[in-house]
Amino acid sequence: EALPSSSFGHTVYLYHRDALIGMPTVRRAAAADRAALLDLVDGLDEAAEIVAAFDGATAEAAEGPVAAFVAELSEQLVGVVTVATAVATKALQAGYQLEDFILFSEHQPAAHVGLKHFVLNPIFSRASRFVLREIFRQLQASCVYYALDAGAAVPPILSELVQIRPRQQPTLSPALLSELAEQRGVDADPQPEPSGALYFLTRKLISEPKIVNNARVVVVGTALLRCSREERARSWREGVRSHGRLGQQR
């Protein structure tokens, strides 16, 4: 994109010749990859978190809660991915409308994993889906989730994932909370609202083409109605990606 001080009104796109070599090789990370990893994540805001997750995944323990993968091309490390091998799907279902997109009877409990970090050299960004597909295959996973905290930087891989709408939580009166606490013998705190966004991708969706929908929809009405329609229009269904923007109320 053009710099703020530039008078150019267009965007310049670059394509590196190394991107024509082919797709990278994806394999489990090893402790010997640490030096190359440090060079890859140098300068990133989450560099310390990525290195810590990498060290935990490549420790001597055979299996752990986090798995690390590296992508190599021409004997150079061009990407690193850390994945949580276990996901609390029940907690996610309580906060997000997963049933609108995922048929849980077709996914084994052990086939749900969580994406923690995804770093890929921008030159090979076109291989992002291939890297994800290889991780699906090697972990024998069928569904991957990515939680984006409020205020966090948006990673480039987010464009490959599907956003799930948060579930509207019921509002309980203090009297009802006290009654539930007496019945259960514990404090019945209300279910907290999700603090961030949740994205997912299944093994089936990763192999289907994506269609970009650039249709323009104008909604006339109250602000609440416009926000509701906009939220639904931006939802991703049947491989169609929608990009929307709210206009001024008239």
Side-chain angles (χ1 to χ4, degrees):
E1 296 182 356
L3 297 174
S5 58
S6 175
S7 60
F8 289 99
H10 54 267
T11 303
V12 177
Y13 294 87
L14 299 177
Y15 196 88
H16 201 280
R17 66 177 182 180
D18 289 346
L20 300 174
I21 297 176
M23 292 297 177
T25 301
V26 180
R27 60 169 175 83
R28 286 268 190 167
D33 300 318
R34 195 175 192 276
L37 169 72
L38 295 177
D39 293 338
L40 180 67
V41 302
D42 185 28
L44 298 180
D45 295 337
E46 298 181 342
E49 298 180 12
I50 297 173
V51 174
F54 178 88
D55 291 339
T58 56
E60 294 183 1
E63 294 292 340
V66 178
F69 296 85
V70 294
E72 286 184 323
L73 191 63
S74 297
E75 300 182 354
Q76 293 186 3
L77 193 144
V78 298
V80 61
V81 183
T82 60
V83 179
T85 55
V87 175
T89 55
K90 294 296 184 182
L92 294 180
Q93 284 182 275
Y96 299 89
Q97 298 180 359
L98 299 182
E99 298 84 359
D100 292 348
F101 299 92
I102 302 173
L103 188 61
F104 281 88
S105 61
E106 296 183 354
H107 300 270
Q108 298 295 328
H112 297 264
V113 298
L115 184 64
K116 296 177 64 67
H117 306 98
F118 189 98
V119 179
L120 190 63
N121 190 315
I123 296 175
F124 310 102
S125 58
R126 70 184 185 92
S128 297
R129 279 209 158 201
F130 174 80
V131 174
L132 284 176
R133 192 182 304 117
E134 283 295 296
I135 293 175
F136 270 111
R137 181 182 63 83
Q138 296 186 32
L139 285 179
Q140 296 182 356
S142 60
C143 190
V144 63
Y145 303 91
Y146 179 75
L148 181 64
D149 296 331
V154 178
I157 191 61
L158 208 64
S159 61
E160 302 292 346
L161 307 178
V162 182
Q163 186 176 6
I164 302 178
R165 296 177 59 194
R167 191 184 302 278
Q168 185 175 2
Q169 302 298 330
T171 303
L172 304 180
S173 64
L176 181 57
L177 289 175
S178 300
E179 182 179 351
L180 292 175
E182 294 178 359
Q183 294 176 358
R184 300 175 182 176
V186 295
D187 293 337
D189 295 331
Q191 180 71 25
E193 293 285 345
S195 59
L198 181 67
Y199 296 80
F200 88 103
L201 193 64
T202 62
R203 187 164 49 190
K204 177 182 178 182
L205 287 177
I206 202 172
S207 302
E208 295 179 353
K210 294 171 58 178
I211 303 173
V212 179
N213 184 6
N214 291 320
R216 182 177 182 181
V217 179
V218 179
V219 180
V220 180
T222 62
L224 183 60
L225 173 61
R226 290 191 296 113
C227 291
S228 176
R229 293 297 184 183
E230 174 69 9
E231 182 181 8
R232 290 185 176 275
R234 292 178 65 87
S235 63
W236 199 98
R237 280 183 177 274
E238 302 298 334
V240 178
R241 170 77 67 171
S242 300
H243 298 276
R245 182 177 61 181
L246 287 175
Q248 296 181 353
Q249 184 177 2
R250 298 182 179 179

